[in-house]
Amino acid sequence: MHMNRIKYLQTKKLLKELEWVESDYEWRNEIVCEADSEFINKINLFLEDHPDLKNIYDNKVNEQINRNIQRNIEQEIDNCSIPDEEIISVTKSAKVKKLYRDIVKVTHPDVTEQKSLNDYYIQATTYYDMDDKIGIFKICNELNIEYDIEDNEIELIESRIKDLKTKISFLENTFSWRWLNIEDDKEKNEILLQYIKMRLC
């Protein structure tokens, strides 16, 4: 297969951008996960210093927890009533099957003992199981396996990049991210207060 050279270069650039954005998202997500526990500890310490506020806060949080438990119970009951025929299985596209076979031919442990190639095999198998064309395209680029790509598939890559950038923007606006990235103690306390007020609404 010979992809139009310009389209190939555009796709390669897009996939590199996707790879960078995925890495950036994963890094920021890990930072927020780490910051969350520290942020909640600071909230608890702040509330300990303000017992009246702590009492109001705890009551409100308990109400929310009870509502969530009830909602989850109702959802579980609803999920039990879904007929089996409505469960959709993932069907592999012909393109994913073909490219996966091409990848396996050069990466399978029975073919090569090179660990880096075996790692590509493991990644490709995960993408294949998920019917993830974009992941398969990324590995094909790394292995110089040629493939044709349609305009709608390029749009799919662009859409995934846009979606990840939206998630990154969301992470940067979380209380814990903002709190972590402010040096001034007064501003940090203001963010703690904003969070408490939000939970009390």
Side-chain angles (χ1 to χ4, degrees), residues 161-185:
I161 291 170
K162 184 178 178 183
D163 181 53
L164 284 167
K165 286 181 176 178
T166 300
K167 289 179 178 178
I168 288 169
S169 178
F170 172 80
L171 288 175
E172 289 176 340
N173 282 293
T174 58
F175 284 98
S176 50
W177 177 273
R178 287 164 43 217
W179 177 82
L180 183 69
N181 287 282
I182 288 176
E183 298 294 329
D184 184 71
D185 286 341

PDB file of all heavy atoms in Angstrom, residues 161-185:
ATOM      1  N   ILE A 161      -7.083  14.438  19.731  1.00  0.00           N
ATOM      2  CA  ILE A 161      -6.186  15.493  20.220  1.00  0.00           C
ATOM      3  C   ILE A 161      -6.997  16.591  20.895  1.00  0.00           C
ATOM      4  O   ILE A 161      -6.667  17.046  21.995  1.00  0.00           O
ATOM      5  CB  ILE A 161      -5.332  16.063  19.066  1.00  0.00           C
ATOM      6  CG1 ILE A 161      -4.321  15.020  18.578  1.00  0.00           C
ATOM      7  CG2 ILE A 161      -4.610  17.343  19.506  1.00  0.00           C
ATOM      8  CD1 ILE A 161      -3.607  15.392  17.296  1.00  0.00           C
ATOM      9  N   LYS A 162      -8.067  17.008  20.232  1.00  0.00           N
ATOM     10  CA  LYS A 162      -8.929  18.067  20.779  1.00  0.00           C
ATOM     11  C   LYS A 162      -9.531  17.649  22.113  1.00  0.00           C
ATOM     12  O   LYS A 162      -9.577  18.436  23.075  1.00  0.00           O
ATOM     13  CB  LYS A 162     -10.034  18.391  19.769  1.00  0.00           C
ATOM     14  CG  LYS A 162     -10.926  19.547  20.180  1.00  0.00           C
ATOM     15  CD  LYS A 162     -11.967  19.829  19.114  1.00  0.00           C
ATOM     16  CE  LYS A 162     -12.900  20.959  19.555  1.00  0.00           C
ATOM     17  NZ  LYS A 162     -13.968  21.213  18.567  1.00  0.00           N
ATOM     18  N   ASP A 163      -9.981  16.396  22.187  1.00  0.00           N
ATOM     19  CA  ASP A 163     -10.581  15.873  23.415  1.00  0.00           C
ATOM     20  C   ASP A 163      -9.579  15.880  24.567  1.00  0.00           C
ATOM     21  O   ASP A 163      -9.899  16.280  25.687  1.00  0.00           O
ATOM     22  CB  ASP A 163     -11.091  14.454  23.161  1.00  0.00           C
ATOM     23  CG  ASP A 163     -11.749  13.850  24.387  1.00  0.00           C
ATOM     24  OD1 ASP A 163     -12.655  14.482  24.950  1.00  0.00           O
ATOM     25  OD2 ASP A 163     -11.358  12.746  24.792  1.00  0.00           O
ATOM     26  N   LEU A 164      -8.336  15.465  24.279  1.00  0.00           N
ATOM     27  CA  LEU A 164      -7.297  15.447  25.319  1.00  0.00           C
ATOM     28  C   LEU A 164      -6.943  16.852  25.775  1.00  0.00           C
ATOM     29  O   LEU A 164      -6.714  17.095  26.957  1.00  0.00           O
ATOM     30  CB  LEU A 164      -6.051  14.717  24.811  1.00  0.00           C
ATOM     31  CG  LEU A 164      -6.160  13.189  24.781  1.00  0.00           C
ATOM     32  CD1 LEU A 164      -5.021  12.586  23.972  1.00  0.00           C
ATOM     33  CD2 LEU A 164      -6.156  12.613  26.193  1.00  0.00           C
ATOM     34  N   LYS A 165      -6.905  17.792  24.835  1.00  0.00           N
ATOM     35  CA  LYS A 165      -6.615  19.188  25.202  1.00  0.00           C
ATOM     36  C   LYS A 165      -7.715  19.752  26.093  1.00  0.00           C
ATOM     37  O   LYS A 165      -7.441  20.521  27.023  1.00  0.00           O
ATOM     38  CB  LYS A 165      -6.444  20.041  23.942  1.00  0.00           C
ATOM     39  CG  LYS A 165      -5.122  19.795  23.221  1.00  0.00           C
ATOM     40  CD  LYS A 165      -4.971  20.675  21.998  1.00  0.00           C
ATOM     41  CE  LYS A 165      -3.599  20.486  21.356  1.00  0.00           C
ATOM     42  NZ  LYS A 165      -3.435  21.285  20.129  1.00  0.00           N
ATOM     43  N   THR A 166      -8.953  19.338  25.831  1.00  0.00           N
ATOM     44  CA  THR A 166     -10.075  19.757  26.685  1.00  0.00           C
ATOM     45  C   THR A 166      -9.908  19.183  28.092  1.00  0.00           C
ATOM     46  O   THR A 166     -10.130  19.873  29.092  1.00  0.00           O
ATOM     47  CB  THR A 166     -11.417  19.283  26.084  1.00  0.00           C
ATOM     48  OG1 THR A 166     -11.571  19.854  24.787  1.00  0.00           O
ATOM     49  CG2 THR A 166     -12.590  19.698  26.956  1.00  0.00           C
ATOM     50  N   LYS A 167      -9.486  17.923  28.171  1.00  0.00           N
ATOM     51  CA  LYS A 167      -9.265  17.287  29.476  1.00  0.00           C
ATOM     52  C   LYS A 167      -8.119  17.960  30.229  1.00  0.00           C
ATOM     53  O   LYS A 167      -8.182  18.120  31.451  1.00  0.00           O
ATOM     54  CB  LYS A 167      -8.977  15.796  29.290  1.00  0.00           C
ATOM     55  CG  LYS A 167     -10.191  14.994  28.863  1.00  0.00           C
ATOM     56  CD  LYS A 167      -9.850  13.526  28.675  1.00  0.00           C
ATOM     57  CE  LYS A 167     -11.078  12.715  28.304  1.00  0.00           C
ATOM     58  NZ  LYS A 167     -10.775  11.298  28.075  1.00  0.00           N
ATOM     59  N   ILE A 168      -7.062  18.344  29.491  1.00  0.00           N
ATOM     60  CA  ILE A 168      -5.935  19.041  30.112  1.00  0.00           C
ATOM     61  C   ILE A 168      -6.401  20.375  30.686  1.00  0.00           C
ATOM     62  O   ILE A 168      -6.058  20.741  31.815  1.00  0.00           O
ATOM     63  CB  ILE A 168      -4.794  19.253  29.097  1.00  0.00           C
ATOM     64  CG1 ILE A 168      -4.098  17.917  28.804  1.00  0.00           C
ATOM     65  CG2 ILE A 168      -3.776  20.279  29.612  1.00  0.00           C
ATOM     66  CD1 ILE A 168      -3.134  17.957  27.634  1.00  0.00           C
ATOM     67  N   SER A 169      -7.219  21.079  29.911  1.00  0.00           N
ATOM     68  CA  SER A 169      -7.766  22.363  30.373  1.00  0.00           C
ATOM     69  C   SER A 169      -8.608  22.165  31.633  1.00  0.00           C
ATOM     70  O   SER A 169      -8.538  22.957  32.579  1.00  0.00           O
ATOM     71  CB  SER A 169      -8.611  22.980  29.262  1.00  0.00           C
ATOM     72  OG  SER A 169      -9.174  24.188  29.684  1.00  0.00           O
ATOM     73  N   PHE A 170      -9.385  21.071  31.664  1.00  0.00           N
ATOM     74  CA  PHE A 170     -10.188  20.759  32.853  1.00  0.00           C
ATOM     75  C   PHE A 170      -9.291  20.526  34.066  1.00  0.00           C
ATOM     76  O   PHE A 170      -9.553  21.053  35.153  1.00  0.00           O
ATOM     77  CB  PHE A 170     -11.059  19.525  32.592  1.00  0.00           C
ATOM     78  CG  PHE A 170     -11.755  19.027  33.822  1.00  0.00           C
ATOM     79  CD1 PHE A 170     -12.907  19.641  34.279  1.00  0.00           C
ATOM     80  CD2 PHE A 170     -11.246  17.949  34.534  1.00  0.00           C
ATOM     81  CE1 PHE A 170     -13.548  19.186  35.433  1.00  0.00           C
ATOM     82  CE2 PHE A 170     -11.874  17.490  35.682  1.00  0.00           C
ATOM     83  CZ  PHE A 170     -13.028  18.110  36.131  1.00  0.00           C
ATOM     84  N   LEU A 171      -8.220  19.740  33.888  1.00  0.00           N
ATOM     85  CA  LEU A 171      -7.298  19.453  34.990  1.00  0.00           C
ATOM     86  C   LEU A 171      -6.685  20.741  35.541  1.00  0.00           C
ATOM     87  O   LEU A 171      -6.531  20.900  36.749  1.00  0.00           O
ATOM     88  CB  LEU A 171      -6.183  18.511  34.528  1.00  0.00           C
ATOM     89  CG  LEU A 171      -6.573  17.054  34.271  1.00  0.00           C
ATOM     90  CD1 LEU A 171      -5.392  16.285  33.704  1.00  0.00           C
ATOM     91  CD2 LEU A 171      -7.078  16.382  35.545  1.00  0.00           C
ATOM     92  N   GLU A 172      -6.329  21.651  34.626  1.00  0.00           N
ATOM     93  CA  GLU A 172      -5.683  22.904  35.046  1.00  0.00           C
ATOM     94  C   GLU A 172      -6.641  23.808  35.809  1.00  0.00           C
ATOM     95  O   GLU A 172      -6.205  24.764  36.446  1.00  0.00           O
ATOM     96  CB  GLU A 172      -5.128  23.633  33.821  1.00  0.00           C
ATOM     97  CG  GLU A 172      -3.912  22.934  33.219  1.00  0.00           C
ATOM     98  CD  GLU A 172      -3.416  23.607  31.952  1.00  0.00           C
ATOM     99  OE1 GLU A 172      -4.199  24.358  31.325  1.00  0.00           O
ATOM    100  OE2 GLU A 172      -2.242  23.387  31.600  1.00  0.00           O
ATOM    101  N   ASN A 173      -7.945  23.526  35.717  1.00  0.00           N
ATOM    102  CA  ASN A 173      -8.932  24.348  36.419  1.00  0.00           C
ATOM    103  C   ASN A 173      -9.462  23.674  37.683  1.00  0.00           C
ATOM    104  O   ASN A 173     -10.359  24.214  38.328  1.00  0.00           O
ATOM    105  CB  ASN A 173     -10.094  24.685  35.475  1.00  0.00           C
ATOM    106  CG  ASN A 173      -9.717  25.790  34.504  1.00  0.00           C
ATOM    107  OD1 ASN A 173      -9.504  26.920  34.891  1.00  0.00           O
ATOM    108  ND2 ASN A 173      -9.612  25.439  33.235  1.00  0.00           N
ATOM    109  N   THR A 174      -8.920  22.496  38.020  1.00  0.00           N
ATOM    110  CA  THR A 174      -9.349  21.850  39.260  1.00  0.00           C
ATOM    111  C   THR A 174      -8.801  22.623  40.457  1.00  0.00           C
ATOM    112  O   THR A 174      -7.780  23.310  40.357  1.00  0.00           O
ATOM    113  CB  THR A 174      -8.859  20.390  39.338  1.00  0.00           C
ATOM    114  OG1 THR A 174      -7.427  20.368  39.231  1.00  0.00           O
ATOM    115  CG2 THR A 174      -9.482  19.543  38.241  1.00  0.00           C
ATOM    116  N   PHE A 175      -9.488  22.500  41.570  1.00  0.00           N
ATOM    117  CA  PHE A 175      -9.050  23.187  42.789  1.00  0.00           C
ATOM    118  C   PHE A 175      -7.646  22.750  43.188  1.00  0.00           C
ATOM    119  O   PHE A 175      -6.814  23.585  43.534  1.00  0.00           O
ATOM    120  CB  PHE A 175     -10.020  22.901  43.942  1.00  0.00           C
ATOM    121  CG  PHE A 175     -11.296  23.671  43.855  1.00  0.00           C
ATOM    122  CD1 PHE A 175     -12.443  23.078  43.328  1.00  0.00           C
ATOM    123  CD2 PHE A 175     -11.370  24.979  44.297  1.00  0.00           C
ATOM    124  CE1 PHE A 175     -13.625  23.777  43.241  1.00  0.00           C
ATOM    125  CE2 PHE A 175     -12.552  25.697  44.218  1.00  0.00           C
ATOM    126  CZ  PHE A 175     -13.684  25.095  43.687  1.00  0.00           C
ATOM    127  N   SER A 176      -7.387  21.440  43.143  1.00  0.00           N
ATOM    128  CA  SER A 176      -6.092  20.938  43.611  1.00  0.00           C
ATOM    129  C   SER A 176      -4.943  21.413  42.722  1.00  0.00           C
ATOM    130  O   SER A 176      -3.861  21.726  43.214  1.00  0.00           O
ATOM    131  CB  SER A 176      -6.097  19.414  43.720  1.00  0.00           C
ATOM    132  OG  SER A 176      -6.572  18.825  42.548  1.00  0.00           O
ATOM    133  N   TRP A 177      -5.164  21.477  41.385  1.00  0.00           N
ATOM    134  CA  TRP A 177      -4.110  21.963  40.478  1.00  0.00           C
ATOM    135  C   TRP A 177      -3.815  23.434  40.754  1.00  0.00           C
ATOM    136  O   TRP A 177      -2.668  23.841  40.878  1.00  0.00           O
ATOM    137  CB  TRP A 177      -4.530  21.769  39.020  1.00  0.00           C
ATOM    138  CG  TRP A 177      -3.514  22.312  38.051  1.00  0.00           C
ATOM    139  CD1 TRP A 177      -3.427  23.603  37.577  1.00  0.00           C
ATOM    140  CD2 TRP A 177      -2.415  21.607  37.471  1.00  0.00           C
ATOM    141  NE1 TRP A 177      -2.355  23.732  36.736  1.00  0.00           N
ATOM    142  CE2 TRP A 177      -1.713  22.526  36.645  1.00  0.00           C
ATOM    143  CE3 TRP A 177      -1.969  20.294  37.554  1.00  0.00           C
ATOM    144  CZ2 TRP A 177      -0.585  22.165  35.918  1.00  0.00           C
ATOM    145  CZ3 TRP A 177      -0.840  19.939  36.818  1.00  0.00           C
ATOM    146  CH2 TRP A 177      -0.166  20.862  36.024  1.00  0.00           C
ATOM    147  N   ARG A 178      -4.894  24.238  40.855  1.00  0.00           N
ATOM    148  CA  ARG A 178      -4.708  25.678  41.113  1.00  0.00           C
ATOM    149  C   ARG A 178      -4.029  25.897  42.462  1.00  0.00           C
ATOM    150  O   ARG A 178      -3.121  26.717  42.590  1.00  0.00           O
ATOM    151  CB  ARG A 178      -6.069  26.388  41.061  1.00  0.00           C
ATOM    152  CG  ARG A 178      -6.603  26.512  39.632  1.00  0.00           C
ATOM    153  CD  ARG A 178      -8.088  26.854  39.582  1.00  0.00           C
ATOM    154  NE  ARG A 178      -8.461  27.883  40.532  1.00  0.00           N
ATOM    155  CZ  ARG A 178      -9.611  27.899  41.194  1.00  0.00           C
ATOM    156  NH1 ARG A 178     -10.500  26.940  41.033  1.00  0.00           N
ATOM    157  NH2 ARG A 178      -9.880  28.876  42.031  1.00  0.00           N
ATOM    158  N   TRP A 179      -4.484  25.136  43.474  1.00  0.00           N
ATOM    159  CA  TRP A 179      -3.905  25.270  44.818  1.00  0.00           C
ATOM    160  C   TRP A 179      -2.421  24.912  44.810  1.00  0.00           C
ATOM    161  O   TRP A 179      -1.600  25.613  45.396  1.00  0.00           O
ATOM    162  CB  TRP A 179      -4.679  24.368  45.779  1.00  0.00           C
ATOM    163  CG  TRP A 179      -4.145  24.347  47.170  1.00  0.00           C
ATOM    164  CD1 TRP A 179      -4.387  25.258  48.165  1.00  0.00           C
ATOM    165  CD2 TRP A 179      -3.263  23.374  47.720  1.00  0.00           C
ATOM    166  NE1 TRP A 179      -3.716  24.906  49.309  1.00  0.00           N
ATOM    167  CE2 TRP A 179      -3.013  23.750  49.060  1.00  0.00           C
ATOM    168  CE3 TRP A 179      -2.665  22.220  47.223  1.00  0.00           C
ATOM    169  CZ2 TRP A 179      -2.184  23.017  49.899  1.00  0.00           C
ATOM    170  CZ3 TRP A 179      -1.846  21.490  48.051  1.00  0.00           C
ATOM    171  CH2 TRP A 179      -1.611  21.887  49.370  1.00  0.00           C
ATOM    172  N   LEU A 180      -2.079  23.825  44.116  1.00  0.00           N
ATOM    173  CA  LEU A 180      -0.695  23.357  44.072  1.00  0.00           C
ATOM    174  C   LEU A 180       0.232  24.367  43.403  1.00  0.00           C
ATOM    175  O   LEU A 180       1.387  24.518  43.797  1.00  0.00           O
ATOM    176  CB  LEU A 180      -0.631  22.020  43.310  1.00  0.00           C
ATOM    177  CG  LEU A 180       0.743  21.354  43.231  1.00  0.00           C
ATOM    178  CD1 LEU A 180       1.170  20.855  44.613  1.00  0.00           C
ATOM    179  CD2 LEU A 180       0.730  20.217  42.232  1.00  0.00           C
ATOM    180  N   ASN A 181      -0.289  25.077  42.392  1.00  0.00           N
ATOM    181  CA  ASN A 181       0.555  25.956  41.589  1.00  0.00           C
ATOM    182  C   ASN A 181       0.542  27.413  42.039  1.00  0.00           C
ATOM    183  O   ASN A 181       0.951  28.303  41.291  1.00  0.00           O
ATOM    184  CB  ASN A 181       0.151  25.853  40.110  1.00  0.00           C
ATOM    185  CG  ASN A 181       0.592  24.531  39.509  1.00  0.00           C
ATOM    186  OD1 ASN A 181       1.744  24.340  39.178  1.00  0.00           O
ATOM    187  ND2 ASN A 181      -0.339  23.590  39.403  1.00  0.00           N
ATOM    188  N   ILE A 182       0.079  27.647  43.258  1.00  0.00           N
ATOM    189  CA  ILE A 182       0.120  28.999  43.845  1.00  0.00           C
ATOM    190  C   ILE A 182       1.077  28.986  45.022  1.00  0.00           C
ATOM    191  O   ILE A 182       1.037  28.076  45.851  1.00  0.00           O
ATOM    192  CB  ILE A 182      -1.291  29.448  44.285  1.00  0.00           C
ATOM    193  CG1 ILE A 182      -2.141  29.762  43.047  1.00  0.00           C
ATOM    194  CG2 ILE A 182      -1.230  30.657  45.201  1.00  0.00           C
ATOM    195  CD1 ILE A 182      -3.568  30.113  43.358  1.00  0.00           C
ATOM    196  N   GLU A 183       1.940  29.981  45.078  1.00  0.00           N
ATOM    197  CA  GLU A 183       2.936  30.057  46.148  1.00  0.00           C
ATOM    198  C   GLU A 183       2.402  30.785  47.382  1.00  0.00           C
ATOM    199  O   GLU A 183       2.725  30.428  48.514  1.00  0.00           O
ATOM    200  CB  GLU A 183       4.198  30.781  45.642  1.00  0.00           C
ATOM    201  CG  GLU A 183       4.914  30.075  44.489  1.00  0.00           C
ATOM    202  CD  GLU A 183       5.496  28.735  44.916  1.00  0.00           C
ATOM    203  OE1 GLU A 183       5.877  28.601  46.085  1.00  0.00           O
ATOM    204  OE2 GLU A 183       5.536  27.819  44.063  1.00  0.00           O
ATOM    205  N   ASP A 184       1.595  31.807  47.165  1.00  0.00           N
ATOM    206  CA  ASP A 184       1.141  32.671  48.248  1.00  0.00           C
ATOM    207  C   ASP A 184       0.155  31.941  49.172  1.00  0.00           C
ATOM    208  O   ASP A 184      -0.860  31.403  48.712  1.00  0.00           O
ATOM    209  CB  ASP A 184       0.473  33.924  47.651  1.00  0.00           C
ATOM    210  CG  ASP A 184       0.075  34.908  48.727  1.00  0.00           C
ATOM    211  OD1 ASP A 184       0.966  35.531  49.318  1.00  0.00           O
ATOM    212  OD2 ASP A 184      -1.144  35.022  48.992  1.00  0.00           O
ATOM    213  N   ASP A 185       0.440  31.913  50.476  1.00  0.00           N
ATOM    214  CA  ASP A 185      -0.399  31.191  51.447  1.00  0.00           C
ATOM    215  C   ASP A 185      -1.813  31.759  51.533  1.00  0.00           C
ATOM    216  O   ASP A 185      -2.781  31.007  51.699  1.00  0.00           O
ATOM    217  CB  ASP A 185       0.248  31.225  52.838  1.00  0.00           C
ATOM    218  CG  ASP A 185       1.453  30.294  52.923  1.00  0.00           C
ATOM    219  OD1 ASP A 185       1.558  29.397  52.063  1.00  0.00           O
ATOM    220  OD2 ASP A 185       2.289  30.466  53.833  1.00  0.00           O
TER     221      ASP A 185
END
